[in-house]
């Protein structure tokens, strides 16, 4: 129980959730973000999901994406924040006789425009979804990295999701050496490392 309360306190102190009752436009969101940056000094935002943002002008899907990305990139640069956008792909299906592949830019509404405008594109993929929805395997695929010298490289990492603990591990769930990222049980170990 104390870990739960500690987590709630951390979220309360570090994360602000907003959900405007109406007018979900990029302009109104940026006005909200701006006030939170000025009042609380937030250094990052997440728009989740993108498809809930209202259109401000009539445009093709590609032009909508371009307009959104221009505004988001300008906003992020001006306020020096990280700006994350969660986009759900169009309905994915399992092609006959093929493996279930990670969603890429062509699976998103607006397709190639995301590739043209985004700095990084990362896909979180559950390869066994159509076979066994309880399978914990998750593949994180970096499909685009704009600044490879300072921002990493394309590739993929395999993780395992422990549904009971809501934690990810790089080791299979039955591994005796399994460690979790952001595990409250390892807090003392993290604090000891930070003392160095």
């Amino acid at each position: 129980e104390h870990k739960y309360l500690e987590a709630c306190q951390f979220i309360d102190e570090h994360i602000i959730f907003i959900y405007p009752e109406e007018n979900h436009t990029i302009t109104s969101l940026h006005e909200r973000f701006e006030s939170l940056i000025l009042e609380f000094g937030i250094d990052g935002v997440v728009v989740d999901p993108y498809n809930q943002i209202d259109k401000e002008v009539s445009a093709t899907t590609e032009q909508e994406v371009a307009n959104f990305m221009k505004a988001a990139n300008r906003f992020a640069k001006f306020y020096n924040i990280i700006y994350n956008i969660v986009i759900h792909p169009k309905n994915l299906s399992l092609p006959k006789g093929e493996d279930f592949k990670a969603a890429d830019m062509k699976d998103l509404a607006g397709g190639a425009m995301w590739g043209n405008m985004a700095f990084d594109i990362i896909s979180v993929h559950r390869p066994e979804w159509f076979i066994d929805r309880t399978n914990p395997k998750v593949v994180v695929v970096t499909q685009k990295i704009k600044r490879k010298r300072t921002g990493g490289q394309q590739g993929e990492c395999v993780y395992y999701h422990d549904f009971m603990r809501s934690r990810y591990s790089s080791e299979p769930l039955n591994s005796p050496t399994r460690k979790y990222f952001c595990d409250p049980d390892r807090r003392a170990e993290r604090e000891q490392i930070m003392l160095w």
Side-chain angles (χ1 to χ4, degrees):
E1 185 180 350
H2 78 279
K3 289 179 185 176
Y4 175 81
L5 295 173
E6 193 176 277
C8 290
Q9 183 178 350
F10 180 89
I11 290 168
D12 189 50
E13 291 172 2
H14 295 89
I15 299 172
I16 299 168
F17 293 93
I18 63 168
Y19 187 84
E21 292 299 318
E22 54 189 38
N23 196 13
H24 292 78
T25 64
I26 186 64
T27 302
S28 65
L29 285 177
H30 282 176
E31 287 169 0
R32 281 289 197 62
F33 292 160
E34 182 181 37
S35 68
L36 293 170
I37 290 167
L38 297 174
E39 186 175 349
F40 298 106
I42 65 170
D43 55 8
V45 298
V46 178
V47 173
D48 181 13
Y50 166 76
N51 65 3
Q52 291 296 308
I53 296 175
D54 296 331
K55 298 179 198 176
E56 292 185 304
V57 293
S58 180
T60 64
T61 305
E62 289 78 9
Q63 192 57 48
E64 283 174 35
V65 171
N67 292 341
F68 174 83
M69 289 302 294
K70 282 184 212 168
N73 284 333
R74 280 194 298 267
F75 189 88
K77 285 177 188 170
F78 185 80
Y79 288 105
N80 193 29
I81 62 166
I82 187 167
Y83 199 117
N84 297 289
I85 306 155
V86 177
I87 311 157
H88 298 280
K90 297 178 277 187
N91 290 334
L92 298 175
S93 57
L94 180 62
K96 270 195 167 177
E98 294 181 33
D99 292 332
F100 181 45
K101 294 183 173 69
D104 62 19
M105 290 169 267
K106 70 179 183 306
D107 297 310
L108 306 174
M113 192 55 72
W114 291 107
N116 296 338
M117 305 288 289
F119 279 60
D120 303 328
I121 297 177
I122 300 169
S123 180
V124 179
H125 174 55
R126 293 182 59 196
E128 307 297 326
W129 173 257
F130 285 104
I131 300 163
D132 176 9
R133 292 189 181 198
T134 63
N135 189 303
K137 185 176 180 180
V138 176
V139 181
V140 177
V141 184
T142 53
Q143 297 182 356
K144 177 186 177 184
I145 302 290
K146 184 172 183 177
R147 296 195 173 116
K148 292 184 177 68
R149 268 192 0 218
T150 57
Q153 55 189 283
Q154 288 176 254
E156 59 182 55
C157 298
V158 176
Y159 298 104
Y160 299 89
H161 184 223
D162 186 336
F163 295 97
M164 297 300 291
R165 296 184 63 154
S166 291
R167 293 282 184 273
Y168 286 93
S169 172
S170 57
E171 299 287 329
L173 300 185
N174 58 0
S175 169
T177 60
R178 179 179 76 245
K179 290 185 179 178
Y180 294 100
F181 306 108
C182 302
D183 191 346
D185 292 335
R186 296 180 61 209
R187 182 175 179 182
E189 179 183 329
R190 284 197 313 276
E191 288 172 351
Q192 187 62 40
I193 290 168
M194 287 167 65
L195 291 173
W196 289 50

